Every structure is written in structure tokens, then in C-alpha cells.
Amino acid sequence: MKIDFLNLKQVNARFEKGIHEAIDRVIDSGRYILGEETLAFEREFADYCGVEHCIGVANGLEALHLILRAMGIGEGDEVIVPSNTFIATWLAVSQAGARVVPVEPDSRTCNIDPQRIEAAITPRTRAIMPVHLYGQPADMSPINEIARRHGLRVIEDAAQAHGAHYRGRRAGGLGDAAGFSFYPGKNLGALGDGGAITTNDGKLAATLRKLRNYGSEVKYHHDVAGQNSRLDELQSAILRVKLKHLDTENTQRAALAAMYLEALAQAPLQLPVVLEDVEPVWHLFVVQTPNRDALQAHLTACGIGSLVHYPVANHLQPAYADVAWPALPVAETLQSRVLSLPFATYLGADEVGAVAGAIDEYFRRDGSASRL
């Protein structure tokens, strides 16, 4: 059985009629930037996340970067980030002119470890930026408590966590502000790039609306040196269609994750661990094994796609080679162990069984494989 890691055409097939109607609606409107579709999506997504404000922007990286700018965080400041995350988290800090301060994760959840944060705080620390990696919220209560004690801002990188819950509240409303990505492969994915910022801070929201639009609130009048980072009408209209189905899609993802957890319960893999009082949205299903590369090669030979999120830790990337980083052994271990299995709402029990069977075959055939 051939199983793609992710087939976006199949993902979007169920929304095809609504998407075409949305596109036609935008074309007929004659308004393609910051029109009614974007305003409506911002209201709807804010309501969905349980917050007061949503600001649509061009992508997830710019969402995080704009939050930092709006908070006045820049040159000479430090921002605490996870040591293992997609590089956009780090780039947002660097582009703001601030210094990245990486903190190691809990190796079970792969999210930033709150117990390691306080030791990384200095007089220059201005914010903590936890990432809800793979769709599971970081452990936000202790993070917010640390931030409160030290007078720090908390910025959620919620790019993979659309609809996830932490202690009854949705991602996007768990800190001072949150940045989302609507990259096509996300749980709530556009048909191109897109992003958004959510917050309950009205003053911050007003600043962000200016910054994303050339620093302007009134056309041709520019209060600050802003930039062009606007969620366009076509993507907004498409996202409105898909947002209506997001909870159903996330429920289906949870059911698929349960199938995987049961099918792989006896496999010599480290399976995902979900914290108490957390409802992840299973953006990815990531297993760990020291035999990652060999297992991935075996799955490929069986016609089963997989992906590594992420194969090179950020502090080892050439983009950050000019910095003398501290030892980050957990991030370096994860980069050699993690493997994302096929995961999408169009998959079912047959596909999960085929993936589990191929994994079992690999470990039965390779007697030299490490058991964990």
C-alpha cells in the first residue's frame, strides 16, 4: 500500500465546493486587500480562540516578528525560546534585533521544559516564547507564573496548535499574544502563505494593525515605520470555509492518533506523551527511535512516506554559526531520533495498520536495532 506523508489535494478535496464559492465571492467583490473577508475572518478566528482581537498577517514568521516589534522588544533584549523548534521561532527574535536564548525541552513532549527556564533569565530578558510543538500546548501555567514573577511577556508560537486546549482554554489565548501560521499543511491551512496574531491587549492590537499595513491607520498617513504584512482576501475567504470544520477535523485527528497509539503500543518506539489537562490537535504524530534513519529508509522502501521535523537543530544551522551556543544535548538528540509518520484526516485504520505493520517488520528483521 502506497501512503504519502501528506497529500494536500486530498486534504482540501472535502472543502472544494466551499473554496470555489469563496474565491468567486472575492473576485466579484473587487476588494482584494483588507476587505470584508479579512475583517470577518479576524472576528471569527478571535471568537474561536476565545480572545478579543485577531490581526491577519502574511505568514507565521511575521506574526511573531510583529508581536516583538509591537512590544518594543529589540536591540539589546533577550527572548527565551525552545532549543528545538522550526527556525521561524528563532528568526523572529533575530529579525527584531534581539538575542535568542535557547532552553532545552522535555524530551517526552518535545516542548520547552518550564523547570529550565528560570536559570536562563537575565536582566536583559524581555519575553518567553514557548512553542506548542506538534499541536500540543506547552505547559503554560508554570511558564506564565515565571513570567509574572520576573515581569516578562509571554508570546505563544501557536503555528501548529490551531484549536488545541490547555486546561480548558484554547491556544492563542494562553499568553500576552500568539502567532499562528496558515501554511497549507497546518490543521487550519490556507492555499498559500498566511498568518495571524491573537491577543486580549487592545493597545497592542492597534499597534499591530498599523505595523502590518505600512505603519498606517489612515491611508497615506504613516504613524510608524511599518511593513507590508497583510493576510489577503482570497486566503481569508478560504480560511473562513475551513475554520467551520476545524473542530471536526481535529476530532478526526485525535481518533487517528488513538489508532496509532494502540497499533504501536508494543513497538520499540518512544511514542508521543500528552500532558494532563491538555487536548492536543495532533498536527504531527512523531515517534522517536535511535534507528530513525534506517527505519525511515525501510518505510520508504515499503511505499510509506515520512518526514523529520527537524533534522538539524537551529544552533547547528549555518544561519546561526556565528554564535557560540551553550551545550544543547536534548535538542541534538532529538534531531537524530524523531520521525513524523503519515498523518491526515483522509487516513484510516487500513493505513495505520499498514504503517504499524511495516514498522513491526523492520524491528523483526533487524535484530541489531536498538529497542529504544
PDB file of all heavy atoms in Angstrom, residues 18 49 77 81 87 97 104 129 137 160 185 187 206 211 248 253 257 277 281 289-290 311 350 360:
ATOM      1  N   GLY A  18     -16.927  24.734  -1.259  1.00  0.00           N
ATOM      2  CA  GLY A  18     -16.905  25.955  -0.465  1.00  0.00           C
ATOM      3  C   GLY A  18     -15.765  26.876  -0.842  1.00  0.00           C
ATOM      4  O   GLY A  18     -15.918  28.112  -0.853  1.00  0.00           O
ATOM      5  N   CYS A  49     -10.724  31.356  19.135  1.00  0.00           N
ATOM      6  CA  CYS A  49      -9.625  31.233  20.105  1.00  0.00           C
ATOM      7  C   CYS A  49     -10.000  31.758  21.486  1.00  0.00           C
ATOM      8  O   CYS A  49      -9.231  31.589  22.437  1.00  0.00           O
ATOM      9  CB  CYS A  49      -8.389  31.981  19.599  1.00  0.00           C
ATOM     10  SG  CYS A  49      -7.644  31.270  18.114  1.00  0.00           S
ATOM     11  N   ASP A  77      17.907  43.295  23.861  1.00  0.00           N
ATOM     12  CA  ASP A  77      16.986  42.463  24.631  1.00  0.00           C
ATOM     13  C   ASP A  77      17.227  40.983  24.360  1.00  0.00           C
ATOM     14  O   ASP A  77      17.842  40.607  23.356  1.00  0.00           O
ATOM     15  CB  ASP A  77      15.534  42.804  24.274  1.00  0.00           C
ATOM     16  CG  ASP A  77      15.164  44.228  24.634  1.00  0.00           C
ATOM     17  OD1 ASP A  77      15.691  44.741  25.633  1.00  0.00           O
ATOM     18  OD2 ASP A  77      14.353  44.832  23.907  1.00  0.00           O
ATOM     19  N   VAL A  81      13.530  31.031  24.036  1.00  0.00           N
ATOM     20  CA  VAL A  81      12.832  30.198  23.046  1.00  0.00           C
ATOM     21  C   VAL A  81      13.220  28.739  23.274  1.00  0.00           C
ATOM     22  O   VAL A  81      14.215  28.446  23.933  1.00  0.00           O
ATOM     23  CB  VAL A  81      13.201  30.609  21.605  1.00  0.00           C
ATOM     24  CG1 VAL A  81      12.805  32.044  21.327  1.00  0.00           C
ATOM     25  CG2 VAL A  81      14.694  30.400  21.351  1.00  0.00           C
ATOM     26  N   ILE A  87      12.824  26.874  12.600  1.00  0.00           N
ATOM     27  CA  ILE A  87      13.718  28.024  12.709  1.00  0.00           C
ATOM     28  C   ILE A  87      12.977  29.358  12.737  1.00  0.00           C
ATOM     29  O   ILE A  87      13.518  30.368  13.197  1.00  0.00           O
ATOM     30  CB  ILE A  87      14.758  28.002  11.565  1.00  0.00           C
ATOM     31  CG1 ILE A  87      15.958  28.897  11.910  1.00  0.00           C
ATOM     32  CG2 ILE A  87      14.112  28.365  10.231  1.00  0.00           C
ATOM     33  CD1 ILE A  87      17.134  28.731  10.977  1.00  0.00           C
ATOM     34  N   GLY A  97      16.032  42.083  16.174  1.00  0.00           N
ATOM     35  CA  GLY A  97      17.275  42.632  16.704  1.00  0.00           C
ATOM     36  C   GLY A  97      17.619  42.133  18.087  1.00  0.00           C
ATOM     37  O   GLY A  97      18.630  42.543  18.673  1.00  0.00           O
ATOM     38  N   GLU A 104      16.284  24.085  26.728  1.00  0.00           N
ATOM     39  CA  GLU A 104      16.049  22.711  26.312  1.00  0.00           C
ATOM     40  C   GLU A 104      14.615  22.253  26.608  1.00  0.00           C
ATOM     41  O   GLU A 104      13.950  22.763  27.513  1.00  0.00           O
ATOM     42  CB  GLU A 104      17.034  21.780  27.024  1.00  0.00           C
ATOM     43  CG  GLU A 104      18.478  21.976  26.579  1.00  0.00           C
ATOM     44  CD  GLU A 104      18.831  21.117  25.386  1.00  0.00           C
ATOM     45  OE1 GLU A 104      18.352  21.408  24.270  1.00  0.00           O
ATOM     46  OE2 GLU A 104      19.587  20.145  25.578  1.00  0.00           O
ATOM     47  N   MET A 129       9.046  32.779  24.709  1.00  0.00           N
ATOM     48  CA  MET A 129       8.277  32.409  23.531  1.00  0.00           C
ATOM     49  C   MET A 129       8.170  30.881  23.448  1.00  0.00           C
ATOM     50  O   MET A 129       8.924  30.225  22.733  1.00  0.00           O
ATOM     51  CB  MET A 129       8.922  32.967  22.255  1.00  0.00           C
ATOM     52  CG  MET A 129       8.059  32.812  21.018  1.00  0.00           C
ATOM     53  SD  MET A 129       8.874  33.458  19.517  1.00  0.00           S
ATOM     54  CE  MET A 129       8.752  35.226  19.796  1.00  0.00           C
ATOM     55  N   PRO A 137      -0.069  21.954  23.374  1.00  0.00           N
ATOM     56  CA  PRO A 137       0.351  23.161  24.078  1.00  0.00           C
ATOM     57  C   PRO A 137       1.488  22.897  25.057  1.00  0.00           C
ATOM     58  O   PRO A 137       1.545  21.846  25.706  1.00  0.00           O
ATOM     59  CB  PRO A 137      -0.918  23.586  24.826  1.00  0.00           C
ATOM     60  CG  PRO A 137      -2.028  23.012  24.020  1.00  0.00           C
ATOM     61  CD  PRO A 137      -1.509  21.700  23.509  1.00  0.00           C
ATOM     62  N   GLN A 160       1.385  25.480  15.115  1.00  0.00           N
ATOM     63  CA  GLN A 160       0.967  24.096  14.905  1.00  0.00           C
ATOM     64  C   GLN A 160      -0.199  23.696  15.794  1.00  0.00           C
ATOM     65  O   GLN A 160      -0.520  22.510  15.879  1.00  0.00           O
ATOM     66  CB  GLN A 160       2.158  23.154  15.168  1.00  0.00           C
ATOM     67  CG  GLN A 160       3.359  23.416  14.279  1.00  0.00           C
ATOM     68  CD  GLN A 160       4.506  22.445  14.527  1.00  0.00           C
ATOM     69  OE1 GLN A 160       4.398  21.503  15.309  1.00  0.00           O
ATOM     70  NE2 GLN A 160       5.618  22.676  13.858  1.00  0.00           N
ATOM     71  N   GLY A 185      -0.050  23.070   4.999  1.00  0.00           N
ATOM     72  CA  GLY A 185      -0.066  21.797   5.711  1.00  0.00           C
ATOM     73  C   GLY A 185      -0.562  21.869   7.144  1.00  0.00           C
ATOM     74  O   GLY A 185      -0.675  20.836   7.810  1.00  0.00           O
ATOM     75  N   ASN A 187      -3.172  22.410  10.428  1.00  0.00           N
ATOM     76  CA  ASN A 187      -4.542  21.944  10.673  1.00  0.00           C
ATOM     77  C   ASN A 187      -5.566  22.906  10.089  1.00  0.00           C
ATOM     78  O   ASN A 187      -6.579  22.478   9.547  1.00  0.00           O
ATOM     79  CB  ASN A 187      -4.793  21.787  12.176  1.00  0.00           C
ATOM     80  CG  ASN A 187      -3.977  20.675  12.780  1.00  0.00           C
ATOM     81  OD1 ASN A 187      -2.853  20.415  12.375  1.00  0.00           O
ATOM     82  ND2 ASN A 187      -4.541  20.000  13.772  1.00  0.00           N
ATOM     83  N   ALA A 206      -3.948  47.426  18.306  1.00  0.00           N
ATOM     84  CA  ALA A 206      -3.972  48.636  17.485  1.00  0.00           C
ATOM     85  C   ALA A 206      -2.604  48.911  16.873  1.00  0.00           C
ATOM     86  O   ALA A 206      -2.493  49.283  15.692  1.00  0.00           O
ATOM     87  CB  ALA A 206      -4.432  49.821  18.322  1.00  0.00           C
ATOM     88  N   LEU A 211       1.378  48.362  12.185  1.00  0.00           N
ATOM     89  CA  LEU A 211       2.664  47.823  11.751  1.00  0.00           C
ATOM     90  C   LEU A 211       2.525  46.928  10.522  1.00  0.00           C
ATOM     91  O   LEU A 211       3.381  46.928   9.643  1.00  0.00           O
ATOM     92  CB  LEU A 211       3.316  47.037  12.892  1.00  0.00           C
ATOM     93  CG  LEU A 211       3.930  47.848  14.028  1.00  0.00           C
ATOM     94  CD1 LEU A 211       4.404  46.911  15.141  1.00  0.00           C
ATOM     95  CD2 LEU A 211       5.092  48.701  13.525  1.00  0.00           C
ATOM     96  N   THR A 248     -14.166  19.545  13.861  1.00  0.00           N
ATOM     97  CA  THR A 248     -14.427  18.191  13.348  1.00  0.00           C
ATOM     98  C   THR A 248     -13.140  17.549  12.863  1.00  0.00           C
ATOM     99  O   THR A 248     -12.865  16.374  13.144  1.00  0.00           O
ATOM    100  CB  THR A 248     -15.454  18.246  12.201  1.00  0.00           C
ATOM    101  OG1 THR A 248     -16.677  18.770  12.698  1.00  0.00           O
ATOM    102  CG2 THR A 248     -15.700  16.865  11.625  1.00  0.00           C
ATOM    103  N   ARG A 253      -8.451  13.857  13.810  1.00  0.00           N
ATOM    104  CA  ARG A 253      -7.007  13.697  14.032  1.00  0.00           C
ATOM    105  C   ARG A 253      -6.750  12.991  15.370  1.00  0.00           C
ATOM    106  O   ARG A 253      -5.854  12.146  15.487  1.00  0.00           O
ATOM    107  CB  ARG A 253      -6.302  15.050  13.984  1.00  0.00           C
ATOM    108  CG  ARG A 253      -6.419  15.757  12.647  1.00  0.00           C
ATOM    109  CD  ARG A 253      -5.754  17.121  12.661  1.00  0.00           C
ATOM    110  NE  ARG A 253      -4.331  17.006  12.400  1.00  0.00           N
ATOM    111  CZ  ARG A 253      -3.790  17.043  11.178  1.00  0.00           C
ATOM    112  NH1 ARG A 253      -4.555  17.182  10.114  1.00  0.00           N
ATOM    113  NH2 ARG A 253      -2.488  16.934  11.030  1.00  0.00           N
ATOM    114  N   ALA A 257      -4.790   9.534  15.930  1.00  0.00           N
ATOM    115  CA  ALA A 257      -3.686   9.391  16.885  1.00  0.00           C
ATOM    116  C   ALA A 257      -3.936   8.220  17.836  1.00  0.00           C
ATOM    117  O   ALA A 257      -3.012   7.458  18.160  1.00  0.00           O
ATOM    118  CB  ALA A 257      -3.507  10.681  17.676  1.00  0.00           C
ATOM    119  N   ASP A 277      -4.543  17.423  31.488  1.00  0.00           N
ATOM    120  CA  ASP A 277      -5.307  18.651  31.266  1.00  0.00           C
ATOM    121  C   ASP A 277      -4.990  19.321  29.933  1.00  0.00           C
ATOM    122  O   ASP A 277      -5.213  20.528  29.769  1.00  0.00           O
ATOM    123  CB  ASP A 277      -5.084  19.664  32.402  1.00  0.00           C
ATOM    124  CG  ASP A 277      -5.605  19.160  33.734  1.00  0.00           C
ATOM    125  OD1 ASP A 277      -6.587  18.399  33.720  1.00  0.00           O
ATOM    126  OD2 ASP A 277      -5.031  19.529  34.770  1.00  0.00           O
ATOM    127  N   VAL A 281      -3.991  18.910  19.237  1.00  0.00           N
ATOM    128  CA  VAL A 281      -4.720  18.787  17.971  1.00  0.00           C
ATOM    129  C   VAL A 281      -3.946  17.927  16.971  1.00  0.00           C
ATOM    130  O   VAL A 281      -4.329  17.828  15.812  1.00  0.00           O
ATOM    131  CB  VAL A 281      -5.038  20.168  17.358  1.00  0.00           C
ATOM    132  CG1 VAL A 281      -6.076  20.886  18.194  1.00  0.00           C
ATOM    133  CG2 VAL A 281      -3.778  21.002  17.198  1.00  0.00           C
ATOM    134  N   THR A 289      13.177   7.088  17.875  1.00  0.00           N
ATOM    135  CA  THR A 289      13.985   5.871  17.910  1.00  0.00           C
ATOM    136  C   THR A 289      15.414   6.204  17.513  1.00  0.00           C
ATOM    137  O   THR A 289      15.639   7.036  16.619  1.00  0.00           O
ATOM    138  CB  THR A 289      13.432   4.793  16.950  1.00  0.00           C
ATOM    139  OG1 THR A 289      14.370   3.705  16.890  1.00  0.00           O
ATOM    140  CG2 THR A 289      13.204   5.327  15.558  1.00  0.00           C
ATOM    141  N   PRO A 290      16.408   5.564  18.144  1.00  0.00           N
ATOM    142  CA  PRO A 290      17.793   5.782  17.708  1.00  0.00           C
ATOM    143  C   PRO A 290      18.062   5.207  16.328  1.00  0.00           C
ATOM    144  O   PRO A 290      19.080   5.510  15.718  1.00  0.00           O
ATOM    145  CB  PRO A 290      18.617   5.063  18.788  1.00  0.00           C
ATOM    146  CG  PRO A 290      17.687   4.091  19.401  1.00  0.00           C
ATOM    147  CD  PRO A 290      16.331   4.707  19.331  1.00  0.00           C
ATOM    148  N   PRO A 311      15.583  17.970  11.080  1.00  0.00           N
ATOM    149  CA  PRO A 311      16.789  17.158  11.043  1.00  0.00           C
ATOM    150  C   PRO A 311      18.050  17.849  11.549  1.00  0.00           C
ATOM    151  O   PRO A 311      19.031  17.178  11.879  1.00  0.00           O
ATOM    152  CB  PRO A 311      16.928  16.811   9.555  1.00  0.00           C
ATOM    153  CG  PRO A 311      16.252  17.942   8.852  1.00  0.00           C
ATOM    154  CD  PRO A 311      15.115  18.346   9.743  1.00  0.00           C
ATOM    155  N   ASP A 350      -6.941   1.196   7.916  1.00  0.00           N
ATOM    156  CA  ASP A 350      -6.138   0.402   6.985  1.00  0.00           C
ATOM    157  C   ASP A 350      -4.737   0.986   6.837  1.00  0.00           C
ATOM    158  O   ASP A 350      -3.737   0.249   6.856  1.00  0.00           O
ATOM    159  CB  ASP A 350      -6.812   0.329   5.614  1.00  0.00           C
ATOM    160  CG  ASP A 350      -8.072  -0.521   5.617  1.00  0.00           C
ATOM    161  OD1 ASP A 350      -8.269  -1.281   6.592  1.00  0.00           O
ATOM    162  OD2 ASP A 350      -8.848  -0.423   4.659  1.00  0.00           O
ATOM    163  N   ASP A 360       6.759  -2.872  12.454  1.00  0.00           N
ATOM    164  CA  ASP A 360       6.985  -4.166  13.101  1.00  0.00           C
ATOM    165  C   ASP A 360       7.926  -5.035  12.271  1.00  0.00           C
ATOM    166  O   ASP A 360       8.831  -5.686  12.811  1.00  0.00           O
ATOM    167  CB  ASP A 360       5.648  -4.873  13.306  1.00  0.00           C
ATOM    168  CG  ASP A 360       5.811  -6.229  13.986  1.00  0.00           C
ATOM    169  OD1 ASP A 360       6.251  -6.254  15.148  1.00  0.00           O
ATOM    170  OD2 ASP A 360       5.494  -7.250  13.345  1.00  0.00           O
TER     171      ASP A 360
END
